[in-house]
Amino acid sequence: MSTTTALAVASASAAAGHAPIRWEDLGIGPIALDLGFFALKWYSLAYLAGIVLGYWHLSKMIRQPGSPMAQRHADDLFFYATLGIILGGRLGYAIFYAPELLTNPANLLKLWEGGMSFHGGLIGTVLAIAWVSWRGQLSFVRVCDYISVCVPFGLLFGRLANFANGELWGREAGPDVPWAMVFPGGGLVARHPSQLYEAGLEGLVLMVVLLFLFWKTKARWRTGLLVGTFTLGYALSRFTVEFFREPDAQLQDFALQTGLSMGQWLTIPMMAVGLFFLLRGLLRKPLAAGGAVPA
């Protein structure tokens, strides 16, 4: 957008009785702790917090009746799922959003510069679950049910870290959006803080729904219901937020040509898979209580 247009938008916001919020004025930034010789980024903390909190909650869940796994399986999942999230997330980002990284392995390894794909991390996590389930002779879908309850922790922290980094900002917002923000690198226009929209829908809302289903209902006895709810809920949340999120620069032409962003196209098969498992869990007979926990 031209500077003239941006100034016109800013003037319209002022005329509406408010000035857009400037991200820099919030006093946040990518660095959570800077010791001079070492800098700890919010992005790294987000991944660490999501994985550790997910492991803690999974360990708490499997102590309840009907668990499809033992603690040793949860320990294995913690290790392999962490690898799946990191490797799958980075490779997914390169394949779906930045193919040029595949031609330069050195840049592909620079995780600290950001650039992770949820869909890639999801594939990596599913492969990790499949491996642990096969090796431990566990029910793959039931293990996915339990893992899915823990995933929104990481989504919430990850999107908040995106906001702290001032990245993945949204599309231009009109003067009737008082919470619109001016982000570094986003020009002078006020934009939707779409990172916070995603943190709210993919993280907080999905977390509350899944925690309620697990702890307050008998959903865990219906194979596939929890993972179906998560998958469909995430897909719908991401599809919705993409209308407010600015497409990656290298994919703007793709979005214009197809009518949907890459993120939206990737969520469509997720909707189908999620709906399948959700309906399957509701229609099939629930498991009997009191089953033995795998050794």
Side-chain angles (χ1 to χ4, degrees):
M1 175 176 291
S2 68
T3 303
T4 302
T5 305
L7 291 174
V9 172
S11 299
S13 297
H18 61 83
I21 302 169
R22 298 189 63 84
W23 179 86
E24 295 97 329
D25 295 339
L26 299 178
I28 56 177
I31 307 299
L33 178 64
D34 191 352
L35 300 177
F37 62 91
F38 174 75
L40 183 62
K41 294 187 176 183
W42 287 114
Y43 206 66
S44 301
L45 278 178
Y47 271 84
L48 180 62
I51 292 171
V52 171
L53 184 57
Y55 172 72
W56 169 81
H57 189 259
L58 178 63
S59 298
K60 184 177 179 181
M61 292 166 65
I62 64 177
R63 291 196 290 268
Q64 304 303 308
S67 172
M69 71 188 94
Q71 184 62 50
R72 67 182 182 88
H73 301 123
D75 295 341
D76 288 344
L77 281 168
F78 174 72
F79 174 74
Y80 289 111
T82 299
L83 289 180
I85 291 169
I86 296 174
L87 298 179
R90 189 59 173 168
L91 286 173
Y93 177 79
I95 293 171
F96 298 134
Y97 299 101
E100 66 276 6
L101 290 175
L102 297 175
T103 62
N104 194 331
N107 289 337
L108 186 62
L109 296 175
K110 295 179 180 179
L111 302 178
W112 57 90
E113 293 184 356
M116 301 287 281
S117 164
F118 167 80
H119 300 90
L122 176 64
I123 293 172
T125 302
V126 169
L127 291 176
I129 296 172
W131 166 249
V132 174
S133 299
W134 174 79
R135 194 172 66 169
Q137 296 184 324
L138 309 175
S139 168
F140 171 72
V141 178
R142 295 213 67 222
V143 173
C144 287
D145 276 334
Y146 276 60
I147 295 295
S148 66
V149 179
C150 304
V151 174
F153 297 134
L155 293 175
L156 173 61
F157 294 138
R159 294 312 181 188
L160 290 177
N162 290 147
F163 181 74
N165 286 348
E167 63 186 1
L168 302 182
W169 19 261
R171 301 174 189 267
E172 176 189 341
D176 57 336
V177 182
W179 56 86
M181 297 185 185
V182 177
F183 289 93
L188 299 175
V189 300
R191 298 178 177 276
H192 287 280
S194 56
Q195 316 97 319
L196 299 182
Y197 300 172
E198 290 184 279
L201 287 176
E202 302 169 9
L204 187 59
V205 172
L206 208 48
M207 180 195 310
V208 170
V209 169
L210 289 168
L211 290 177
F212 175 82
L213 287 175
F214 184 88
W215 292 105
K216 298 299 182 181
T217 74
K218 297 181 179 180
R220 69 176 180 268
W221 301 104
R222 293 186 173 275
T223 303
L225 179 57
L226 290 170
V227 70
T229 300
F230 166 78
T231 306
L232 180 60
Y234 174 84
L236 291 173
S237 298
R238 180 65 181 268
F239 191 89
T240 301
V241 173
E242 285 286 327
F243 286 113
F244 301 96
R245 180 175 169 177
E246 185 77 8
D248 293 83
Q250 69 273 27
L251 293 175
Q252 288 185 353
D253 289 341
F254 174 85
L256 289 173
Q257 292 170 4
T258 64
L260 296 174
S261 68
M262 175 65 79
Q264 287 174 314
W265 282 112
L266 292 174
T267 59
I268 292 176
M270 290 186 67
M271 291 182 196
V273 171
L275 185 60
F276 169 78
F277 280 106
L278 191 153
L279 293 176
R280 180 174 178 264
L282 289 173
L283 296 175
R284 296 184 68 175
K285 184 178 179 179
L287 298 172
V293 178

